[in-house]
Amino acid sequence: MSVVPAPARKALPTIVFTALIAAAAVWQRDAVGSGIHALAGADPRWLAVAAVATLALWPTSVVMLRGTIPAQTSARQLLALQLAVPAIGLVPAASLLLRLRFLRRTGLSHAGAVASMTLLGFAALIVRVPLVVIAALAAPSLMSRTGAQPPWHDLGSRASHWLHRSALDNPWRTAGIATVALVVVALLIGIGVLALRRRVAAHGGWRESAGRLRHFRADARQAWKSVAAIVVRPHRAAALWICALLQPLLMVVALWAVLHAVGANLSLPDTFVVELVSVALAPLLPSPNGMATKEITIAAGLTAVAGLTAGVAVGAALGFRLLTFWCQIPLGLASFAYLNHRKAIWAAPQRRSSPRQGSPAVAASCWACSRWSRTSRRRPTGSGPGPAPAASYRCSGTP
């Protein structure tokens, strides 16, 4: 039985969602065609305004990330990291590993790097939640002014009709659906229990839980010290929170400019409502780095909340995502290559004890590669009796 390589397993969600996106585009080909036609005839002046707002996101993201790092770091490498994250994020969990390695190379410990990433996400969450609440409270007023109705306005009646027609009118069908549901739930519970037991066994069993808890407490204390080192610097803390507030507002300005480019004269406050509510609903459709889910939610929000036609909404959603995400993928790959060339994302060096004489191999690896070779020092000719020289170990790999 062949084993699927790890890179293929990590890229599988992206491949699956790409296939689903292609199927959805074929299914809604009329709306997609209308959206592409509307985007092709967009006003270039408004697209330039959207591009300026998108470019303004780059320095704010750099300043925001610098506000979470206690040490001094290169602004060029921080910009390259922020550009590389969207492209590498197409592979699940790759962006987290990329940021973790970069922060480790800046001199932070593992706990400090995790604390820096947590602080970055916490600041973005704390700023965005009140904005989303304000937008959600203003959404009914916008819908009443535009006369738009969400797709789920008659969801209850349709669900009740389907339930009576498919299940309640036929008791045998009802029993079959209930049996299948119970079997699926039992299978999910069994798979979850087996996965939990396997994970616990791989980490030493339940007896090692106390030791892992002690290590967690030590890491938490170290992470708190790292966060405290940032808080005591008011300039970095202010830069972190101000840039966290500017980023969603710049995204609203970019979407507002794209809407005007495709001919939708939506006001800036209404765009604020649609963008924040749509992006907040995007995680309900999980995908790698929001691929296609944000396009779908933004187009649905523009039609269901703002009352725009399907073609204009799809064109605005495609133009917005092309500027803020898809057009940055080649630049992100180039930035990733730059970081790799500058050794800014290589594994941090680890100090290992030297191997004993006669040991068959070295299990540890250096910070540049994972291949070691053993070389023996031959006794010089005519050196006489005596102990053999000790074996030396060298790195046989290349970066």
Side-chain angles (χ1 to χ4, degrees):
M1 182 178 179
S2 60
V3 179
V4 180
R9 291 197 303 269
K10 293 179 180 179
L12 183 60
T14 304
I15 297 172
V16 171
F17 274 96
T18 303
L20 293 177
I21 293 163
V26 172
W27 180 41
Q28 298 288 337
R29 54 186 177 273
D30 294 335
V32 174
S34 301
I36 294 175
H37 181 73
L39 185 60
D43 189 351
R45 294 171 296 180
W46 281 107
L47 290 180
V49 174
V52 170
T54 304
L55 291 176
L57 289 170
W58 296 356
T60 56
S61 63
V62 170
V63 175
M64 185 177 175
L65 182 60
R66 175 173 282 182
T68 63
I69 304 176
Q72 292 292 336
T73 51
S74 170
R76 184 180 301 176
Q77 291 187 1
L78 287 176
L79 177 60
L81 175 67
Q82 293 300 93
L83 292 177
V85 164
I88 304 303
L90 293 175
V91 179
S95 59
L96 297 178
L97 180 61
L98 178 66
R99 288 186 178 183
L100 182 62
R101 283 196 170 189
F102 179 85
L103 295 175
R104 291 295 305 275
R105 291 294 295 173
T106 60
L108 295 178
S109 62
H110 180 79
V114 172
S116 176
M117 295 167 57
T118 304
L119 180 60
L120 182 68
F122 179 75
L125 179 66
I126 290 298
V127 170
R128 189 174 288 270
V129 165
L131 298 179
V132 171
V133 171
I134 294 173
L137 293 176
S141 175
L142 175 60
M143 294 173 63
S144 64
R145 285 189 286 108
T146 58
Q149 287 185 344
W152 56 85
H153 70 280
D154 59 343
L155 183 61
S157 60
R158 286 187 295 176
S160 177
H161 177 71
W162 176 85
L163 182 62
H164 281 84
R165 186 176 179 180
S166 60
L168 298 181
D169 294 341
N170 191 339
W172 293 103
R173 187 178 297 174
T174 304
I177 293 175
T179 304
V180 171
L182 290 176
V183 170
V184 170
V185 171
L187 286 176
L188 292 177
I189 293 175
I191 293 173
V193 170
L194 289 177
L196 179 61
R197 290 185 61 184
R198 184 176 298 178
R199 185 172 182 84
V200 171
H203 289 79
W206 296 103
R207 296 181 179 178
E208 299 294 331
S209 300
R212 290 197 299 270
L213 183 60
R214 288 193 296 270
H215 287 296
F216 175 77
R217 289 177 178 175
D219 292 342
R221 285 194 296 268
Q222 190 172 0
W224 174 251
K225 292 179 181 178
S226 179
V227 173
I230 299 171
V231 174
V232 296
R233 299 181 180 182
H235 297 290
R236 292 201 174 190
L240 170 65
W241 294 102
I242 292 174
C243 291
L245 177 62
L246 286 177
Q247 282 200 329
L249 299 181
L250 288 173
M251 297 288 280
V252 171
V253 172
L255 180 59
W256 173 72
V258 172
L259 284 169
H260 280 73
V262 297
N265 296 323
L266 201 66
S267 64
L268 191 59
D270 294 343
T271 308
F272 170 85
V273 173
V274 173
E275 200 274 338
L276 287 173
V277 171
S278 303
V279 174
L281 294 176
L284 297 178
L285 300 173
S287 67
N289 210 359
M291 184 179 65
T293 58
K294 290 186 178 180
E295 288 89 338
I296 294 173
T297 54
I298 290 174
L302 290 173
T303 54
V305 179
L308 300 181
T309 60
V312 174
V314 171
L318 290 177
F320 174 72
R321 287 290 287 170
L322 281 173
L323 283 174
T324 58
F325 181 71
W326 292 108
C327 289
Q328 301 181 21
I329 297 298
L331 187 58
L333 295 176
S335 302
F336 178 76
Y338 167 77
L339 291 174
N340 191 33
H341 176 71
R342 300 293 296 178
K343 303 179 183 179
I345 53 175
W346 289 11
Q350 297 180 0
R351 295 182 179 180
R352 306 274 184 165
S353 58
S354 59
R356 294 178 299 176
Q357 180 179 355
S359 59
V362 178
S365 61
C366 71
W367 64 277
C369 64
S370 58
R371 299 183 298 274
W372 289 78
S373 66
R374 181 176 183 271
T375 58
S376 299
R377 298 175 182 173
R378 295 184 177 181
R379 186 193 305 275
T381 305
S383 58
S392 62
Y393 291 81
R394 63 181 178 85
C395 176
S396 62
T398 56

